[in-house]
Amino acid sequence: MSDVLDTLAEHRLVPVVVLDEARDAGPLGEALVTGGLPVAEVTFRTAAAEDAIRVLADRGDLLVGAGTVVRVEQVDRAVAAGARYLVSPGTDRAVVERAQERGVPVLPGAVTATEVQAALALGLDTVKFFPAGTAGGSRAIAALAAPFGGVRFVPTGGVGPADLDEYLALPCVAAVGGSWMVPRDRVRAGDLDGVRALVADAVALATRLRP
Ligand code: 3PG
């Protein structure tokens, strides 16, 4: 795994961020850092994503990645804005290869044995398990880990605090991702104290669940 993925694995949590306004990125970054989780996956689902990545990356104290990267040009825009890792909901060869050309770790989505093999064939050893909640959850990951011993999974999608223990108990789970720590409506409403509290709660829980 790369240094960047090692850092994600140390934090064990990846907040999935959907920002409607780039101006919310600064306060959100503050809430993440003061909440004890200097990590963000800013999704390319809104027009604000690129600017938000830039604002967060420019702080210098956050590991910022781009999520929902589904097109090659988004790889380039994300990297130019300062994203240090990329996440996709599925596995797309062109996206993965562009990320590799740019030297940026990429976590494509994979929930079946065929998809995991496709990621391995592209030279990857860490995948996003998405959407985790409906794709079989921790039992499916444990089953996939049997044949794919060296693969690390980042379950994301439909995950909440109540699911953390079962995912983080699996040695093959590098980190768990989700938006529950950074709810879009709270960020939009400027409730950064509320976001900080959710982040701090998630960090405390993940720390308690450390092996
Ligand atoms: C993602 O892009 O990873 C998911 O939309 C996050 O899923 P969640 O909102 O259910 O946590």
Side-chain angles (χ1 to χ4, degrees):
M1 271 202 315
S2 70
D3 289 352
V4 168
L5 297 185
D6 280 345
T7 303
L8 288 184
E10 277 164 29
H11 288 291
R12 310 196 85 198
L13 295 168
V14 182
V16 176
V17 175
V18 183
L19 279 176
D20 293 297
E21 305 285 348
R23 65 168 176 261
D24 294 335
L28 173 66
E30 196 61 26
L32 286 166
V33 169
T34 56
L37 187 55
V39 173
E41 175 188 327
V42 180
T43 58
F44 263 83
R45 286 182 216 170
T46 63
E50 202 174 335
D51 286 342
I53 289 169
R54 192 166 284 112
V55 169
L56 290 169
D58 283 352
R59 288 178 56 99
D61 57 359
L62 270 153
L63 177 57
V64 187
T68 324
V69 175
V70 294
R71 295 196 302 274
V72 170
E73 52 94 14
Q74 290 172 328
V75 173
D76 293 327
R77 285 166 50 207
V79 172
R84 295 182 54 214
Y85 63 95
L86 307 174
V87 185
S88 295
T91 299
D92 180 281
R93 169 184 284 272
V95 165
V96 169
E97 289 182 343
R98 186 63 178 152
Q100 290 169 332
E101 279 165 26
R102 302 298 307 262
V104 178
V106 58
L107 298 165
V111 291
T112 66
T114 301
E115 291 164 1
V116 172
Q117 273 188 234
L120 285 172
L122 289 165
L124 304 174
D125 63 8
T126 307
V127 296
K128 173 175 181 166
F129 185 81
F130 173 82
T134 54
S138 59
R139 290 182 62 216
I141 295 174
L144 286 168
F148 299 117
V151 174
R152 318 273 313 270
F153 296 86
V154 180
T156 309
V159 178
D163 314 306
L164 271 191
D165 55 348
E166 64 183 78
Y167 286 115
L168 289 177
L170 296 174
C172 62
V173 167
V176 174
S179 64
W180 85 88
M181 302 164 256
V182 284
R184 181 177 186 167
D185 53 346
R186 288 212 189 194
V187 174
R188 193 167 40 200
D191 178 15
L192 278 312
D193 286 340
V195 172
R196 185 185 307 109
L198 288 170
V199 169
D201 284 351
V203 170
L205 190 52
T207 303
R208 270 206 303 283
L209 296 170
R210 227 170 251 287

